[in-house]
Amino acid sequence: MVDSESHPRRRGRPRKVSSGDARKAIADAASAEFAQKGYDAASIRGIARRAEVDSALVHHYFESKAGLFAEVVRLPVRPDRIVRSAFDAPDDRLGESLVRTVLTAWERTAVRSIGVTVLRSAVSDSDAGRLIRQFLMRELKGSIAGRVEKSGVAPAEADLRATLVLTQMAGALIIRHVLELEPLASLSVGELTARLSPSVQGHLDGVGEGGRDGESGGSASG
Amino acid sequence: MVDSESHPRRRGRPRKVSSGDARKAIADAASAEFAQKGYDAASIRGIARRAEVDSALVHHYFESKAGLFAEVVRLPVRPDRIVRSAFDAPDDRLGESLVRTVLTAWERTAVRSIGVTVLRSAVSDSDAGRLIRQFLMRELKGSIAGRVEKSGVAPAEADLRATLVLTQMAGALIIRHVLELEPLASLSVGELTARLSPSVQGHLDGVGEGGRDGESGGSASG
């Protein structure tokens, strides 16, 4: 934690506040901004304006919009970071890396507990649900799509593949940890990883791409 | 609709009632029985006892516990029947048949509308959610597992494969119809069928079976 009082700031917008106060003011402003505009439309600039601080200070404390969101909804973990930590794997092991990383994270009680709440909220019809949905979709889909693009896949196709990966992962987490359906709920991380990896790898590789089975076009890009 | 008044019944348990009254009494009793015991523990016999009618009459009107449940929660469609209608496909086309059948059913507005509600309820923490969850899991998982067993797979393994199929299908339906995440939400049934079928077929075929990747055992059966 950096003490802002040791960095005298220019007069003007930023009020004279302790670092704790500024941090809290930013978090409060973010909470209001997210609630009013939703995750996608909320901006660091708008949050800074609301908190009457400089945008740079927001970045300083919270790094990114995702970080701010995680703070505001008190996420004990950063789903976007967990997913990204799997990205070092080579292309042909990326599915396994993603599945194992996510399943392993969910073995921690704190992650599972908040994860179940987040999944329930995301599926619900509430404003909070919409917010969480936007956060997860933007951050998780976006980062997976970015990783797929790095393998030389066109953006629209990468976007679709990332979405398909989310269908398999979200479904597995819901069945295992929300519905707790056996025998899947009791499977070890290793066994479930082996079962889910081929499916996730197939989505990453674009298996089934171009298949239309006699149906007319439709665009794969949003 | 059979008029029960044209079939004089033995004296005793069954009261003298019109077919409409008996039907309603059974539905009311089922509603109470499901609410109190949950889907799994509720029984046709218990419902008949509660409605003061013969079990045969319950079967006559509603065929099965699944039928009674669909009536009580006013499901306009029978998820268990939709899934079963895909089972005629040969083993190596079963994944595609399942995916196409389910996605096609969800294109109907009435199915989609109640489907979204049912999925939301199933994921929620409510008593109704628990009930719907039990129904879906018992009927859908059970019927898919039964179909897999017909291909010569042992029951415990068939049960796990059916559960894995549900992870992919539930995740896809939630992302497409509840979260409405693009580009998946706008994909045609044909395109999405092509994308999801390999994954579902892999689960049906047991791809990844026996994989443990250095983790110790754990049982695949419940």
Side-chain angles (χ1 to χ4, degrees):
Chain A
M1 187 81 88
V2 175
D3 181 2
S4 69
E5 291 174 302
S6 64
H7 300 268
R9 307 192 127 270
R10 287 193 309 267
R11 296 186 61 87
R13 270 297 174 73
R15 295 165 298 179
K16 186 166 177 270
V17 289
S18 74
S19 73
D21 286 350
R23 205 173 192 286
K24 183 170 183 315
I26 293 168
D28 288 349
S31 190
E33 177 95 351
F34 286 137
Q36 191 185 321
K37 299 194 171 173
Y39 185 77
D40 289 348
S43 69
I44 295 278
R45 184 186 299 249
I47 290 163
R49 202 178 305 124
R50 224 182 253 264
E52 299 182 34
V53 300
D54 203 85
S55 292
L57 196 63
V58 179
H59 283 293
H60 170 70
Y61 283 129
F62 298 100
E63 182 201 336
S64 63
K65 193 161 78 169
L68 202 38
F69 183 82
E71 170 88 9
V72 166
V73 304
R74 297 198 168 70
L75 290 182
V77 288
R78 290 278 300 275
D80 52 320
R81 282 193 189 152
I82 291 173
V83 164
R84 276 196 197 95
S85 74
F87 287 174
D88 284 342
D91 287 0
D92 64 345
R93 305 274 293 189
L94 184 56
E96 187 194 326
S97 175
L98 264 172
V99 172
R100 187 185 303 282
T101 300
V102 171
L103 290 180
T104 301
W106 278 70
E107 291 302 293
R108 287 161 51 198
T109 310
V111 174
R112 188 164 59 244
S113 158
I114 189 79
V116 167
T117 306
V118 163
L119 281 181
R120 283 192 164 130
S121 299
V123 173
S124 81
D125 202 14
S126 66
D127 287 345
R130 186 175 50 86
L131 198 55
I132 286 174
R133 186 149 69 231
Q134 285 184 359
F135 167 74
L136 293 177
M137 291 310 155
R138 173 75 59 176
E139 300 299 332
L140 301 186
K141 189 180 79 159
S143 62
I144 296 171
R147 175 63 180 78
V148 172
E149 277 188 62
K150 280 198 182 139
S151 311
V153 177
E157 172 66 17
D159 193 39
L160 174 56
R161 292 187 194 179
T163 317
L164 289 162
V165 168
L166 292 186
T167 67
Q168 179 62 89
M169 291 307 301
L173 291 173
I174 287 171
I175 298 272
R176 179 174 171 87
H177 292 298
V178 182
L179 308 193
E180 298 181 324
L181 183 65
E182 295 296 355
L184 203 129
S186 301
L187 229 52
S188 72
V189 166
E191 282 175 304
L192 189 51
T193 299
R195 295 290 188 151
L196 292 175
S197 296
S199 166
V200 171
Q201 188 67 46
H203 291 320
L204 290 166
D205 292 342
V207 169
E209 183 183 5
R212 278 181 187 133
D213 277 15
E215 293 237 357
S216 67
S219 169
S221 60
Chain B
M1 187 83 88
V2 174
D3 181 359
S4 70
E5 291 175 304
S6 65
H7 298 270
R9 308 190 127 273
R10 285 195 309 265
R11 295 185 63 88
R13 273 294 172 77
R15 293 167 300 179
K16 187 166 178 265
V17 288
S18 75
S19 74
D21 286 349
R23 204 173 194 286
K24 182 167 184 317
I26 293 167
D28 289 348
S31 191
E33 177 95 351
F34 286 137
Q36 190 187 321
K37 299 194 171 172
Y39 185 77
D40 288 349
S43 69
I44 294 278
R45 185 187 297 248
I47 291 163
R49 202 178 305 122
R50 224 181 253 266
E52 299 184 36
V53 301
D54 204 84
S55 292
L57 196 64
V58 179
H59 284 292
H60 170 70
Y61 282 129
F62 298 100
E63 181 199 334
S64 63
K65 193 161 77 167
L68 201 39
F69 183 82
E71 169 87 8
V72 165
V73 304
R74 295 196 170 72
L75 290 181
V77 288
R78 290 279 300 276
D80 53 320
R81 282 194 189 152
I82 290 172
V83 165
R84 278 195 195 95
S85 73
F87 287 174
D88 284 341
D91 286 359
D92 64 345
R93 304 276 293 188
L94 184 57
E96 187 195 326
S97 174
L98 262 172
V99 172
R100 187 185 302 282
T101 300
V102 171
L103 290 180
T104 301
W106 277 70
E107 293 301 292
R108 287 162 51 198
T109 311
V111 173
R112 188 163 61 243
S113 159
I114 189 80
V116 167
T117 306
V118 163
L119 281 182
R120 283 193 164 129
S121 300
V123 173
S124 82
D125 203 14
S126 66
D127 287 346
R130 186 175 50 86
L131 198 56
I132 286 175
R133 187 150 69 232
Q134 285 184 358
F135 167 73
L136 293 178
M137 292 308 157
R138 173 74 59 176
E139 299 299 332
L140 301 186
K141 190 181 80 158
S143 61
I144 295 171
R147 175 64 180 76
V148 172
E149 278 188 61
K150 280 198 181 141
S151 312
V153 177
E157 171 65 18
D159 193 39
L160 174 57
R161 293 187 192 179
T163 317
L164 289 161
V165 167
L166 291 186
T167 67
Q168 178 61 89
M169 291 307 302
L173 291 173
I174 286 171
I175 298 272
R176 180 175 171 87
H177 293 298
V178 181
L179 310 191
E180 297 181 326
L181 183 66
E182 295 295 353
L184 203 128
S186 302
L187 229 53
S188 72
V189 166
E191 283 175 304
L192 190 52
T193 299
R195 295 288 189 152
L196 293 174
S197 297
S199 168
V200 172
Q201 188 68 47
H203 291 320
L204 289 166
D205 292 343
V207 170
E209 183 182 6
R212 279 181 187 135
D213 277 14
E215 293 235 358
S216 68
S219 170
S221 58

